[in-house]
Amino acid sequence: MATTTAPARTATGSGPVRSWVTSPWAQAGVVLSVLLLGYAAAHLPAGVPQWLDVGLGDFWNRIYDWIVNNRNSSPLFLYGFNYVSVGLGSAVVLINQALTLLTWPGVIVLGTLTAWRAAGKRVALFVLASFAVVGFTGLWSETLTTLSLIITSVLLALVIGIPLGIIAGRSDRFHAAIRPVLDFMQIMPAFAYLMPMLLLFGIGNPAAAVATTVYAAPPAVRITALAIRGVDQGVVEATTSLGSTPRQLLTKVQLPLAKRTILLGVNQTIMLAMSMVVIASVIGAGGLGDAIYQALNKVNVGEAFSAGIAIVLMAIALDRVTNAGGDENRGPDIPESLRKPVLGLGVLVTAAAAVLGRLAGQLQWPASWEFSIAGPVNAVNDGLQNLIGEFTEKLASLMLTWLLDPLTALLTGSPWWLLVLVAAAIGWVVDGWRMSLTGGLTILACGLLGAWEASMDTLAQVLIAGVVTVIIGFLVGILASRSDRLAAGLRPLLDAMQTLPPFVYLIPAVALFGVGRIPALAAAVIYALPPVIRLVNDGIRGCSPAAMEAAASQGSSRWQMLTKVQLPLAKSSLLLAVNQGIMMILAMVVIGALVGAGALGYNVVFGMAQNLLGLGLNAGLAIVCLGLFLDRLTQSAAK
C-alpha cells in the first residue's frame, strides 16, 4: 500500500505570513523604505540636533543651586537628609574608632578567630596573612576606613533588605510590585548611583555609605524572598494546621529552614558593598579605594598595585568567611557542649590582645615595620614596558584605528533617527513590539538627555569589548566543558576573579596600555570573562546525556556533536552568558573614565569634580538607558 507523504514546509512558513512575505507589494515597500532611508541618511544632517535636547541639564543645575542655597535652612535637609548624613558619618567614625581602640593585635586576633570559627583553619591562616600584608605595606589605616564603611553599609542594607525580603517572600502582591524595582536597580551600573547621593549628602563618607547601601541591598531582598518562598510547603502547611500563628510560622519554621540561603544573600550584599565602597572614592570616600584613585590619577602603578593587593586580599577573605557562614561542616568540629566555652575563650583572647596592645601603645601598626613595594613594582613595570611596550602600543593603535574609532565614528556620525529605528527594528526582531518600543525609546532618551555623542561612544566601546569577550569566553568555556582537568584548574581562578571589585582591574590594564580607551576595554574584557566562561561551561555540561548518546550512536564527530547538539541545547545558557558579559562590560567601561576612557563615565566624573550637576546626572541617566536597552535585548534573546 502506498504511503502519502505530506510536503515539507518551506522556511518562509505558510498561510498569511507566507503570502505577505512573497507579495510583490510588500517587497516593493521594503525596497522603497530602504531607498528612502538611504537618501535621508545621505542628505539630512548627521548626529543629533540641538532641539532634541529637552534641557534637563539646566533643570538639574537649578535644583543643585537651590540645594546649595537651602541646605542649611530647608526643613527637608534640616530634619531629613542632614540627620541621615550626620548619623551615617558618625557611624563610620565610631566603627573606625572602635577598631582603632581594639588595637592592631586585637583586630588581627578577632578577625583570625572569626575566620577559624566560621570557615576553618585554612581560611583563618589566609586572613592572618592578609592582615600581615596590609600592615607591612603601610595600608593599615586605609584598610580600617574601608572596613568601617563596609560594616556600616552592610548593616544598613541588611536591616532594610532582609525585612523587605521576608515581606516579599510571604506576599505575592508585594513580591510582584518590588521585583521590577530590584531588576532596575541591579541593571544600573555603580557609577549611576554616585551623582544623586552626592547631590543629597555632599562629598564624603555619608554619601558613600548611602550609595553603597542602595547598591548592595537588592540581593539581600531578592535572595531572602527566594529563601522564604523555597521553604517546603508541606512543612508550612503542617505547621499551620497545628495552629501556629504567622509570627510563629516565620520564626520557628521559615527563617530556620531558609537560614543557609539568607546567609548567601548576606555574602552577596557584602561583596557588592566591597565593590561600591572602592568606587565611591570618587565622591570622597576614604580608604583603599581612594589610595587606588589617587595613584591612578598620577599613573603610579606601584602605589595602585599596593592598594589593589590589599583590596584583593580583603575581598577574598570576606567572601570565604561569609560564604562559609551557616555551614557547620566548614568550621572546626566543636562538640555542642563546648561551643559556648570556646566562644567565651575567643572573647577573652581578643580582649587580652587589645589590652596588651593598648599597654604597649600599639593602636596603629608600627611605622617602623612598614615598607613600600611601589618602587620595585614601578621598576618591574618599566622593565615590562621596555620589553613589550612597543607591542602593546601597536596593539592599542591597531584596535583604535581599525575597530573602535570606525565604529564610534559610525554611531556618532549617523542620524539620530536612523539609530533609533535600528534599535527599534532589532528589538522587534528579537521580541516583538514591546522590545521594539523599549529599544527605540531608550536610545532616543540618550538624545533627549543631551548625551548623544557620549552615549554612542560608550555603546561603541561596549560592543567592541563585548565581541572580544564573547569570542574568548566562548572558546575557553567550550574547552573547559570538554576537559575536566582544565575546568578544575579554572574554577579557583574564576572564583577569585569574581570576588574582586571592578576598580582593581584597571591597575594591570594601565600597567600594560597606559591611559586611554584601550586599557578601559582591556579591563572590561577581563572583568566580564569569568561569568561568560562559567555559564558556557555549565550550559554545555548540562546538555541532555540522552541527546548526546543518540548523536554519538549516529556516528557524529566531536565537531558535529558540538555544533549540532551541544551548542543548540545550551542556547539559553549561552545567551545568558552574553547578557551577563554585556552588563559587566558596561559597568566597567563607565568606570574606565578614571583612566581616560571618556564618554559617559567622563561626564559623570567631570560633573562631580566641577559641580556640574546637570552634566553628571544626565550622563548617569544615559548610562541607565543604555543598560536597560542592552539588558532587555539580551534577556529577550535568551528567552
Side-chain angles (χ1 to χ4, degrees):
M1 180 176 178
T3 303
T4 303
T5 304
R9 294 185 178 182
T10 61
T12 56
S14 60
V17 175
R18 181 179 179 182
S19 57
W20 182 88
V21 172
T22 58
S23 168
W25 291 103
Q27 294 174 354
V30 171
V31 172
L32 181 61
S33 299
V34 172
L35 291 175
L36 289 175
L37 288 175
Y39 177 83
H43 290 80
L44 292 179
V48 60
Q50 291 294 328
W51 56 264
L52 194 62
D53 185 353
V54 296
L56 195 58
D58 294 334
F59 173 73
W60 296 128
N61 286 331
R62 288 195 296 271
I63 290 180
Y64 176 73
D65 292 338
W66 182 88
I67 289 176
V68 171
N69 295 329
N70 296 275
R71 186 182 294 275
N72 296 321
S73 58
S74 171
L76 181 65
F77 286 90
L78 287 177
Y79 307 107
F81 293 117
N82 288 355
Y83 271 108
V84 175
S85 179
V86 171
L88 289 175
S90 300
V92 173
V93 171
L94 287 174
I95 293 174
N96 200 343
Q97 288 179 344
L99 293 175
T100 302
L101 290 175
L102 197 56
T103 71
W104 68 265
V107 170
I108 292 177
V109 170
L110 176 62
T112 304
L113 290 179
T114 302
W116 171 76
R117 181 63 186 91
K121 180 174 63 177
R122 291 185 178 181
V123 175
L125 291 174
F126 179 81
V127 170
L128 178 62
S130 300
F131 276 126
V133 171
V134 166
F136 285 126
T137 52
L139 293 167
W140 183 263
S141 177
E142 289 83 354
T143 300
L144 293 189
T145 300
T146 298
L147 196 56
S148 302
L149 277 167
I150 292 174
I151 293 172
T152 302
S153 304
V154 168
L155 289 178
L156 187 57
L158 295 179
V159 167
I160 296 172
I162 290 181
L164 289 178
I166 291 173
I167 297 172
R170 295 165 64 90
S171 169
D172 292 336
R173 182 175 299 178
F174 184 76
H175 184 255
I178 201 172
R179 187 169 53 195
V181 178
L182 298 176
D183 290 342
F184 181 75
M185 291 176 68
Q186 291 193 285
I187 289 171
M188 292 175 62
F191 245 44
Y193 288 87
L194 300 182
M195 204 68 188
M197 302 311 162
L198 181 65
L199 172 66
L200 297 175
F201 300 100
I203 294 176
N205 287 333
V210 175
T212 303
T213 299
V214 175
Y215 183 69
V221 180
R222 191 186 296 275
I223 296 178
T224 300
L226 178 66
I228 297 295
R229 289 176 172 271
V231 173
D232 188 351
Q233 289 302 308
V235 177
V236 173
E237 291 172 2
T239 307
T240 305
S241 67
L242 293 174
S244 298
T245 64
R247 180 183 181 86
Q248 290 173 327
L249 176 64
L250 175 65
T251 57
K252 303 297 184 181
V253 177
Q254 290 177 313
L255 287 180
L257 291 178
K259 177 183 175 183
R260 288 283 303 277
T261 307
I262 292 175
L263 287 174
L264 175 62
V266 174
N267 169 264
Q268 294 299 302
T269 300
I270 291 174
M271 299 316 296
L272 285 179
M274 178 75 193
S275 173
M276 189 64 185
V277 161
V278 176
I279 297 172
S281 61
V282 179
I283 57 173
L288 295 171
D290 185 61
I292 292 184
Y293 181 50
Q294 299 300 331
L296 289 176
N297 280 339
K298 296 182 292 185
V299 197
N300 190 324
V301 175
E303 291 183 5
F305 181 82
S306 300
I309 287 294
I311 291 174
V312 168
L313 294 175
M314 180 184 289
I316 295 176
L318 288 173
D319 178 64
R320 296 297 182 268
V321 173
T322 56
N323 199 32
D327 187 353
E328 295 295 336
N329 296 323
R330 300 285 292 275
D333 186 14
I334 302 175
E336 184 72 29
S337 59
L338 295 179
R339 290 183 180 179
K340 288 185 178 180
V342 169
L343 176 62
L345 180 61
V347 172
L348 288 177
V349 171
T350 303
V355 170
L356 291 175
R358 290 187 61 79
L359 291 176
Q362 297 294 322
L363 296 180
Q364 296 287 347
W365 186 274
S368 59
W369 293 7
E370 297 175 359
F371 59 87
S372 174
I373 63 173
V377 171
N378 283 329
V380 171
N381 182 58
D382 292 340
L384 187 64
Q385 288 298 317
N386 293 331
L387 182 64
I388 64 171
E390 185 177 353
F391 169 75
T392 57
E393 184 178 349
K394 288 183 178 179
L395 178 61
S397 177
L398 185 68
M399 290 190 66
L400 283 173
T401 304
W402 293 99
L403 293 176
L404 188 55
D405 286 345
L407 182 58
T408 303
L410 176 65
L411 294 178
T412 56
S414 298
W416 64 273
W417 52 267
L418 182 59
L419 293 182
V420 171
L421 288 177
V422 169
I426 294 174
W428 179 276
V429 171
V430 170
D431 199 32
W433 69 270
R434 292 180 184 273
M435 186 60 232
S436 176
L437 190 63
T438 300
L441 289 179
T442 49
I443 297 300
L444 177 62
C446 295
L448 297 176
L449 291 166
W452 182 261
E453 289 194 4
S455 299
M456 295 303 103
D457 189 357
T458 299
L459 182 59
Q461 295 182 46
V462 171
L463 293 177
I464 294 296
V467 170
V468 175
T469 301
V470 166
I471 292 173
I472 298 175
F474 274 46
L475 178 61
V476 177
I478 290 171
L479 292 175
S481 70
R482 302 167 79 89
S483 170
D484 292 337
R485 182 176 299 179
L486 178 60
L490 285 175
R491 189 176 300 117
L493 176 63
L494 298 179
D495 289 342
M497 292 177 68
Q498 287 193 277
T499 63
L500 305 184
F503 217 51
V504 175
Y505 288 91
L506 294 175
I507 300 171
V510 171
L512 289 174
F513 297 99
V515 296
R517 290 186 293 173
I518 296 303
L521 293 187
V525 170
I526 299 172
Y527 179 58
L529 274 176
V532 174
I533 295 173
R534 194 184 296 275
L535 286 168
V536 171
N537 177 36
D538 292 345
I540 294 177
R541 287 178 177 270
C543 291
S544 169
M548 296 176 63
E549 289 176 6
S553 67
Q554 297 295 323
S556 298
S557 64
R558 290 170 62 89
W559 176 254
Q560 291 173 326
M561 179 75 73
L562 175 66
T563 57
K564 304 297 184 181
V565 179
Q566 291 175 312
L567 291 182
L569 290 177
K571 178 183 175 182
S572 59
S573 181
L574 301 181
L575 290 174
L576 178 60
V578 174
N579 170 265
Q580 294 296 299
I582 289 291
M583 297 311 297
M584 294 181 73
I585 286 169
L586 175 62
M588 192 70 214
V589 163
V590 173
I591 296 172
L594 300 176
V595 294
L600 290 174
Y602 173 78
N603 288 355
V604 173
V605 175
F606 187 76
M608 289 186 292
Q610 301 297 323
N611 293 326
L612 298 174
L613 179 68
L615 178 66
L617 265 180
N618 280 356
L621 291 173
I623 292 169
V624 173
C625 290
L626 285 181
L628 186 63
F629 169 64
L630 294 169
D631 179 70
R632 289 293 176 262
L633 184 67
T634 50
Q635 278 199 7
S636 299
K639 294 177 183 178

